[in-house]
Amino acid sequence: MQWIRQYTEILAFIKDSQASLLSMPDCLRKDFMIKKMMITLASLAFLIGLPTAIKLQQFSVMAAATMEMPPEQVTADTVRAEQWPNTITATGSLVAVQGVTISAEVGGKITEIAFESGDQVKAGDLLVRMDIAAEEAQLRSAEAAAKLARINLDRNRDLRANKTVSQSDLDTSEANYKQAIAQADNVRAAIDKKTLRAPFGGHLGLRQVNLGQIVKAGDEIVTLQAIKPIYVDFSVPQQQFSVLTPGTDIRITTDAVTDQVFRGKIEAVNPEIDPVTRSVRVRATLANTDELLRPGMFANVEILLPSQQEVLAIPATAVLYAPYGDTVFVIDESKDEKSGQMQKTLRQQIVRLGRTHGDFVAVEDGLKEGESVVTSGVFKLRPKMAVVVDNTLAPQAQLAPTPNNE
């Protein structure tokens, strides 16, 4: 290049000048050194400044030729006012209306088992009978003694009417008779304790004993559950205590029966608040006609309050969740400064969310009815970005979605 050739000539001149420098007088030598220094500084400034100027020129050209990004393609939906059922959600557990574990009241040997595991029984049905041979013999003896005491009592009453026996003899006869009757009843009670019957109708569980087994008092025989109807117990915060009244409709869902919604009514509200959780216990009754619900199941509970709630609803996918606040991207119409045409741009808006319902979420503050918000891919967007709305492949948000689990 030309500037390199000039620099080479300058260096050659300096080299030739050094040879004659020693033969010069002192005054001429000093002037020559000053000129030499100035030439050197000028050369360095030229060598550094020229490449810098070239690079700056290149950067300015690149900045001027920067390509403008095309608008981002997004899906969008409109903020709309809706009437949602005013509900309170909770989680609960299903409880049998009546449920017991039938156990042996006294010890003995099992001589008869009148049920199988899982049977449905009625109140009073025989379940288990133990060996009662000794008690039956005692009962015959007690009944004979009671019969004799009755005969003696009748005889002494007749004799007392004729003044043949004293009043004390009659009183003794009456006492003997009552003791004999009580002794017979005691034996009958012992026989009843060894004969276990269903206290109410319901479903039996798994049999825990075998024929011929000797059991002790308290040993478990079988469980019995009455499940038609069935209870669901759940807790709600104390803030909702004032709106809970018996007879309020509820509906529950459970993952054990995914394709059905079960309805019932609140039966009772606990009058006291739990001092630890600050919540109140509630019990509701479900018909359970098909007996699909069983005690111990987990249930999602919705309490259906009489009033309706007006909300501004948007799809839940439109929300960009963040620790500092939830936001949505609102689509505004603005004029492009370069082309002068109207275009759609994004505005990031902080919102306060309410409860969810299906695929939608309620917005309590931050949006107005009729505004358009982006519903997909919000994590890759930024404010003032130009967008194009295309809802061709947008999923349809629903208040009661039924996703396919396959």
Side-chain angles (χ1 to χ4, degrees), residues 73-78 331 372-376 388-396:
Q73 184 171 304
V74 297
T75 60
D77 202 350
T78 304
I331 301 176
S372 182
V373 296
V374 179
T375 59
S376 62
V388 175
V389 178
D390 184 5
N391 291 328
T392 305
L393 301 178
Q396 186 67 31

Side-chain angles (χ1 to χ4, degrees), residues 42 52 60 84 108 116 128 153 161 164 186 193 199 316 345 347 349 397:
T52 303
S60 62
W84 284 5
E116 293 295 336
V128 170
L153 176 60
T164 304
N186 186 35
K193 288 182 179 181
T345 58
R347 169 171 54 89
Q349 177 67 42

Side-chain angles (χ1 to χ4, degrees), residues 244-267:
L244 300 175
T245 56
T248 303
D249 292 332
I250 70 159
R251 61 188 178 200
I252 74 162
T253 57
T254 176
D255 54 6
V257 188
T258 57
D259 58 343
Q260 289 194 31
V261 176
F262 302 91
R263 299 183 179 273
K265 293 183 180 295
I266 292 179
E267 180 171 301

Side-chain angles (χ1 to χ4, degrees), residues 132-271:
I132 55 173
E135 286 78 4
E136 287 179 339
Q138 293 174 5
L139 179 60
R140 289 193 296 271
S141 175
E143 288 177 342
K147 185 176 181 180
L148 177 60
R150 178 67 185 180
I151 293 173
N152 290 334
L153 176 60
D154 292 341
R155 182 183 300 114
N156 286 335
R157 284 176 177 172
D158 293 340
L159 294 176
R160 178 57 185 165
N162 296 329
K163 306 291 185 178
T164 304
V165 297
S166 63
Q167 182 64 39
S168 62
D169 292 337
L170 179 59
D171 293 341
T172 301
S173 298
E174 290 181 350
N176 291 337
Y177 174 69
K178 291 179 180 179
Q179 289 178 356
I181 293 296
Q183 184 63 31
D185 290 342
N186 186 35
V187 176
R188 293 190 187 95
I191 293 175
D192 290 339
K193 288 182 179 181
K194 290 190 173 184
T195 305
L196 303 182
R197 298 181 181 275
F200 52 84
H203 282 275
L204 294 174
L206 302 180
R207 177 165 54 88
Q208 303 295 323
V209 293
N210 298 305
L211 190 65
Q213 181 178 341
I214 297 176
V215 296
K216 302 185 297 294
D219 286 353
E220 295 183 1
I221 305 297
V222 69
T223 59
L224 177 61
Q225 306 285 335
I227 60 174
K228 189 169 63 175
I230 195 170
Y231 291 144
V232 56
D233 290 351
F234 55 94
S235 297
V236 297
Q238 65 179 9
Q239 292 87 343
Q240 279 83 34
F241 177 76
S242 59
V243 299
L244 300 175
T245 56
T248 303
D249 292 332
I250 70 159
R251 61 188 178 200
I252 74 162
T253 57
T254 176
D255 54 6
V257 188
T258 57
D259 58 343
Q260 289 194 31
V261 176
F262 302 91
R263 299 183 179 273
K265 293 183 180 295
I266 292 179
E267 180 171 301
V269 180
N270 200 344

